[in-house]
Structures are given as C-alpha cells and as structure tokens.
Amino acid sequence: MEMETLPNGNSATTAVSAAVTVPSLKLTQLAESLKLEHQFLRVPFEHYKKTIRANHRTVDKEMSALISGVGDAADGDLSRDQAVQHLNSLVSRLQGLKRKLENGNHTENLQAQRCRACLEHLESADLGNLSEWSNTRLKRILVDYMLRMSYYDTAIKLAESGNIQDLVDINVFHDAKNVVDALQNKELAPALAWCADNKSRLKKSKSKFEFQLRLQEFIELVRAENNLRAIAYARKYLAPWGATHMKELQRVVAALAFKSSTECAEYKVLFEATQWDYLVDQFRQEFCRIYGMTPEPLLHIYLQAGLSALKTPFCYKDDCTKEDPLSQESFRKLALPLPFSKQHHSKLVCYITKELMDTENPPLVLPNGFVYSTKAVEEIAAKNNGKITCPRTGYICNYSDVVKAYVT
C-alpha cells in the first residue's frame, strides 16, 4: 500500500505523529497539575473522619450511661412507680440518641457525597473540557482565599454562582469562623471547646495552642485583679503543662505581682490587645495543620510560583518590554521578595541554525511547545508560504500561531 504524501513533502504518518504530540504534551501538563490537588481531597476526607469520630464518641457516651442506668435500676430497691419513671427516662434518652444518630448519619452522608464529588471532579479532567475545568479550579482557589481571609459571604456567593458548593470547604471553615469571631471578641470558650474536640490530633502534633489559650485566660483574671481565682485557675489548668513549658509558665504566673497598667516591658506585653491577634493567627495555623491545608492560601502559592518563574533582572530595567507582565509596577511589587528565575543565566541555542537566541534573535514557541529562533522560523515560513513545519515532530502551523518568548 502506497503512503500518501502531503504537499510539503511530509508523509501522512509524520503528520499523525505531530498531531498526537500536542495532546500528549497537554496530558502531561494536566497530570502534573493534578499532583497539586492534595489539599483538595484531604480536607473533605479529614472533615468526614472527624464527624465519624464525633458520632462514635456520642454513641459510646450515651450507651455507657444507659447501661449504667439499667444496672442501677436492677440493683436498686425501687418501688413500682419509681422503676417505671426511671425506665421512662431511659427510653427518652434512647429516643434522644436515635435523633442524634439520624442527624449524624445525615451529616456523614453529605460529607461522603462531597468526597465523591471531589473525586469525580478530578476524574473528569481531560483535554475535551480542560478550559472549563481550569476555570472551575480558579474559582476554587479564589474561594479558598476568601475563606482564609474571613470573606465568608463573598466566598459563598462565588461558590453558588459557579455551582461548586461541593468542591469547596465552606462547611469546614464555618467551624473556624465561630472560633475566630470569638477570639476577636476576646472570648476563649469556643476555642477551648475546639481544642477539646481535637485533643488527640493536637497532642499528636505537640501543639501548645491550648496552653496559650489557658495563659490568656489566666492573664484576663489578673487584669480583673481577681488574684485568688487566678491562683486557683493556675493550679488546675496551668500546672499540668509545667513539665513541658515551665519557663513560659513561670513568666506568666509572675504577672500576679503586676497590674495591667504596668510599665515593665516584659510583662506589659502580656496585657496588650495584640495577644488576641496572635491567638487568632495561632488558631489558623493549627486549623490548617489538622486538616492538611497549606499554611498559605493557594492563591498566594500559585502567584508566587508564576511570578518567580517570570522574574529576571531585566524585568526591573527601564527598557523592559511592555509585553512582559513584570514591566507593570504592581507585579514588580508582588515579585520583589521572590527569588529570580534560575533561567536568567541560561543560554538558548536554536536547534536549526545553532545560533544564540537573545533579544536580537528572540525565541519563538510553536503551538506544540518546541522553540526555535526568530531567524529560523522566518526562513522556514518564507519557503513554505507562511507555513512552519517543526523539524523534530513534523507538526505544521501558521506563522501567526507562534508566540514570542522573553529571555535576558
């Protein structure tokens, strides 16, 4: 069978090979992109596990109380009316447990559904819907940023407008919102309750967040000049931490000798309002650690990676081309603390002409990802009526399809 030859002399086999190259490159990029979705899957899964553990503790607690109640009724010398009343109270408690289990089961089903939705979303990523999938991913990143910055209402509206409620962590951050709001209002009870709910996880990570909350509660008693209560509080809640945090404990307990109006710098700082801001920051860090979130918002991470890849010394020169994003003052400020791209010392040599690619002979990128010098591409286009054939893959495109790359 005779092979068909294309007008430019390349065989049909070469053209097919080139056509396959572009999707394969995009698939590779997509696969690399999916490796960054660790947080996307872990957060709902950790929330699901937490709910299961909470429901299990509730069942254990209630069943222990019920069994104990039945034992007391059997062993006790109760009259008929007393026994009936006691059993009725146990039945009422069982009915209450049933309602709790039904609510817990409903919550577990919703969270399992969300885990399933996240998996299906990742599995749906392919070349056919790459643009739409990437747009959804961008919305997820923006919602994550808004939730971390406490813009809850805006985050909810964006999630609803994009129909991505099952793909974002609004329910998870709702618990954090209650704690953050309380700490900002100088209330410690919700934060201490959160520590109690996550006691095993915090202990495993050797967190001292609960200790810091207890210290603040002690300081508030000292501020109110309620020294007797402060001493009793220290004996009950601070003394158990002495084995691991003795120096901090001694320093704070010594605050009993001072008032909130003290001018002693070492103790004055303990009574400042900034201590509450510090507790908010500490809570957010512990919250992210427990759920496996990145310490910084994903938006920051992606922006820093992109800006660092673009940043070169040439970007900060007056003759920097306006087509370079870092020619804009706002982008320069964002990129200022970031390292320069490691490519700024590289030398690019054209595969075709073997000549150096620089600002006089800048590199051009073909749609299939291969790069050649402007001189080489223009020569190929001039010989083929504006058509360019990649010498390594046989891929064919128009000269208007190539994109200029910037180097220093």
Side-chain angles (χ1 to χ4, degrees), residues 64-82:
S64 296
L66 287 167
I67 293 172
S68 177
V70 172
D72 292 341
D75 298 336
D77 187 11
L78 302 177
S79 65
R80 176 185 175 89
D81 291 340
Q82 288 175 332

Side-chain angles (χ1 to χ4, degrees), residues 60-340:
D60 285 346
K61 181 180 178 180
E62 291 294 326
M63 290 305 299
S64 296
L66 287 167
I67 293 172
S68 177
V70 172
D72 292 341
D75 298 336
D77 187 11
L78 302 177
S79 65
R80 176 185 175 89
D81 291 340
Q82 288 175 332
V84 170
Q85 184 179 0
H86 186 72
L87 290 174
N88 284 337
S89 67
L90 293 177
V91 170
S92 297
R93 191 159 187 170
L94 276 172
Q95 290 173 341
L97 176 59
K98 180 183 178 183
R99 287 191 296 271
K100 290 180 181 179
L101 288 175
E102 288 174 349
N103 293 334
N105 185 55
H106 178 68
T107 303
E108 286 183 20
N109 287 336
L110 290 177
Q111 293 178 1
Q113 177 184 343
R114 181 163 179 261
C115 291
R116 190 179 301 110
C118 292
L119 285 171
E120 290 174 352
H121 172 68
L122 292 183
E123 291 175 351
S124 68
D126 56 40
L127 296 181
N129 68 340
L130 186 57
S131 177
E132 180 182 355
W133 191 87
S134 298
N135 186 44
T136 300
R137 185 187 192 189
L138 176 60
K139 290 179 181 178
R140 289 197 288 109
I141 292 172
L142 291 174
V143 170
D144 172 80
Y145 175 79
M146 293 173 185
L147 290 172
R148 290 175 185 252
M149 297 295 107
S150 300
Y151 304 138
Y152 299 103
D153 293 339
T154 306
I156 291 172
K157 289 180 180 178
L158 178 58
E160 290 175 348
S161 65
N163 194 27
I164 57 172
Q165 294 94 323
D166 285 340
L167 304 180
V168 291
D169 306 316
I170 292 175
N171 291 335
V172 176
F173 276 93
H174 186 268
D175 296 337
K177 178 181 184 298
N178 295 333
V179 177
V180 170
D181 290 347
L183 290 175
Q184 289 174 341
N185 292 326
K186 300 183 178 181
E187 299 174 7
L188 292 164
L192 289 170
W194 182 84
C195 289
D197 290 339
N198 299 275
K199 187 173 183 178
S200 61
R201 304 291 298 279
L202 292 173
K203 184 177 180 180
K204 186 176 181 180
S205 64
K206 298 182 180 180
S207 168
K208 63 176 186 177
F209 178 58
E210 183 181 354
F211 176 62
Q212 291 166 334
L213 293 174
R214 296 295 183 186
L215 291 181
Q216 187 63 37
E217 198 161 22
F218 174 83
I219 288 296
E220 294 305 312
L221 291 173
V222 176
R223 189 197 305 274
E225 299 184 7
N226 198 337
N227 290 348
L228 291 178
R229 282 191 61 193
I231 293 171
Y233 184 89
R235 287 173 176 169
K236 182 176 181 180
Y237 295 108
L238 297 183
W241 296 86
T244 53
H245 301 88
M246 180 56 74
K247 288 186 178 180
E248 294 177 74
L249 180 58
Q250 290 174 335
R251 173 172 173 257
V252 173
V253 171
L256 282 167
F258 299 86
K259 293 184 179 180
S260 58
S261 58
T262 181
E263 292 300 322
C264 180
E266 186 175 355
Y267 293 97
K268 182 180 180 180
V269 67
L270 297 175
F271 296 96
E272 291 180 351
T274 54
Q275 292 296 316
W276 291 96
D277 297 331
Y278 173 73
L279 289 176
V280 171
D281 292 338
Q282 285 298 108
F283 167 72
R284 285 174 170 158
Q285 291 179 24
E286 297 295 341
F287 178 79
C288 291
R289 185 180 294 114
I290 281 180
Y291 283 103
M293 299 180 185
T294 55
E296 288 191 67
L298 294 175
L299 183 62
H300 288 182
I301 294 173
Y302 283 107
L303 278 176
Q304 289 172 1
L307 290 172
S308 183
L310 294 171
K311 183 180 177 182
T312 63
F314 182 73
C315 297
Y316 290 87
K317 295 183 179 179
D318 294 335
D319 57 346
C320 176
T321 174
K322 297 302 180 183
E323 295 180 359
D324 187 337
L326 286 175
S327 66
Q328 304 297 319
E329 188 62 29
S330 57
F331 282 108
R332 286 180 176 180
K333 288 181 179 180
L334 289 172
L336 192 60
L338 301 176
F340 286 104

Side-chain angles (χ1 to χ4, degrees), residues 8 22 364-370 372 376-378 380-382 384-390 394-404:
N8 62 357
V22 179
L364 297 179
V365 184
L366 274 59
N368 65 347
F370 287 89
Y372 305 101
V377 171
E378 288 177 348
I380 295 174
N384 293 279
N385 298 322
K387 296 287 185 179
I388 301 168
T389 302
C390 178
Y395 176 79
I396 301 172
C397 66
N398 295 318
Y399 182 79
S400 58
D401 295 332
V402 301
V403 178
K404 184 184 291 186

